[in-house]
Amino acid sequence: MAVENVSKSYTGPVQMNWGYSLHPVEEVKSNSITSIMNDNSSTFGKKNKIYYALVAHYGTMNKYSAKYTGMTEDDASIFRKALVQGIMANQTDSKQGQQPLFYIEVVYKPDFDVFLGDLRRFLEVSYPDDKPIRSLNDVKIDFKDLKNVIEKMKQKGYVDEVIGWVYPYIDTSKSLVNMPLYKEVDLLAPISNKVVG
């Protein structure tokens, strides 16, 4: 911990992996440069951008670490909302144009200690070979394999529930197909000040 006179170390209960695009991306051809600020100096570098990427992340909430560090269900709710609202509120140059689209969380039974792992491996992504990918409309994500494996896990009594969210103001009906059944959470709802402050 980066706190004076504290020498404890914790592994946080929430761990997120690097996100990656679910499809090939195309770099924007540009000669623009940007300044890179260092401690006492600045340099110039090339600014790289892409036309479009549907980036997916994977993470876990570890119940044992959560108990050890005191994470609560309210904390988990705040984290889910922060994933979505943080992207929307922090429109810096590197996040320009980013839009959260969906969130899927598999909640396991309390006595079940194994998990499915990286859910991205169950997604089947397709896109046309004859035209560039410029928006969500150019990509199709089929969740059928994820849906099937979750149903099998439910039948065995390993999964308690699936919670999810889809951005309500974008038509995803052609791009996100065969999604697992989930209990909807509102990730756009404000985070209560009394909870965080």
Side-chain angles (χ1 to χ4, degrees):
M1 298 181 83
V3 177
E4 190 175 347
N5 299 323
V6 176
S7 60
K8 292 189 177 218
S9 79
Y10 293 104
T11 299
V14 178
Q15 298 293 318
M16 297 295 296
N17 287 351
W18 285 99
Y20 59 77
S21 177
L22 296 177
H23 57 81
V25 298
E26 183 182 352
E27 192 172 354
V28 175
K29 295 184 181 11
S30 171
N31 292 325
S32 65
I33 56 173
T34 185
S35 61
I36 302 166
M37 303 302 291
N38 299 318
D39 289 339
N40 294 320
S41 64
S42 64
T43 56
F44 290 98
K46 189 173 180 186
K47 184 184 287 189
N48 296 307
K49 292 190 173 189
I50 55 176
Y51 284 104
Y52 182 79
L54 181 55
V55 178
H57 296 265
Y58 163 74
T60 59
M61 291 186 202
N62 183 298
K63 63 186 176 185
Y64 298 110
S65 294
K67 188 173 183 180
Y68 183 64
T69 59
M71 181 181 178
T72 65
E73 282 298 325
D74 281 341
D75 296 331
S77 175
I78 290 169
F79 174 75
R80 291 179 194 111
K81 289 178 181 180
L83 279 175
V84 169
Q85 295 179 28
I87 290 171
M88 298 170 81
N90 193 12
Q91 288 296 315
T92 60
D93 192 46
S94 64
K95 294 171 186 62
Q96 196 174 49
Q98 290 187 13
Q99 175 71 55
L101 294 175
F102 64 91
Y103 176 88
I104 296 286
E105 181 180 328
V106 179
V107 181
Y108 299 96
K109 296 283 188 181
D111 57 345
F112 187 67
D113 286 331
V114 183
F115 55 94
L116 287 171
D118 194 336
L119 302 181
R120 295 173 293 190
R121 65 193 169 105
F122 296 104
L123 304 179
E124 185 179 313
V125 182
S126 57
Y127 42 86
D129 292 328
D130 59 341
K131 70 175 199 167
I133 299 169
R134 296 291 186 263
S135 74
L136 180 63
N137 296 329
D138 300 323
V139 181
K140 178 179 165 185
I141 305 171
D142 194 333
F143 290 81
K144 73 174 183 264
D145 291 340
L146 178 59
K147 186 177 183 178
N148 290 339
V149 77
I150 288 173
E151 283 307 313
K152 288 177 185 173
M153 299 276 283
K154 279 184 177 177
Q155 289 168 9
K156 290 181 177 279
Y158 301 150
V159 170
D160 192 19
E161 65 180 346
V162 176
I163 61 175
W165 172 85
V166 175
Y167 189 75
Y169 307 113
I170 295 177
D171 181 12
T172 56
S173 60
K174 294 178 185 169
S175 300
L176 309 178
V177 297
N178 297 315
M179 288 189 79
L181 296 174
Y182 58 86
K183 180 176 100 179
E184 189 170 344
V185 291
D186 184 0
L187 299 185
L188 296 181
I191 298 171
S192 170
N193 286 338
K194 69 178 179 180
V195 175
V196 295

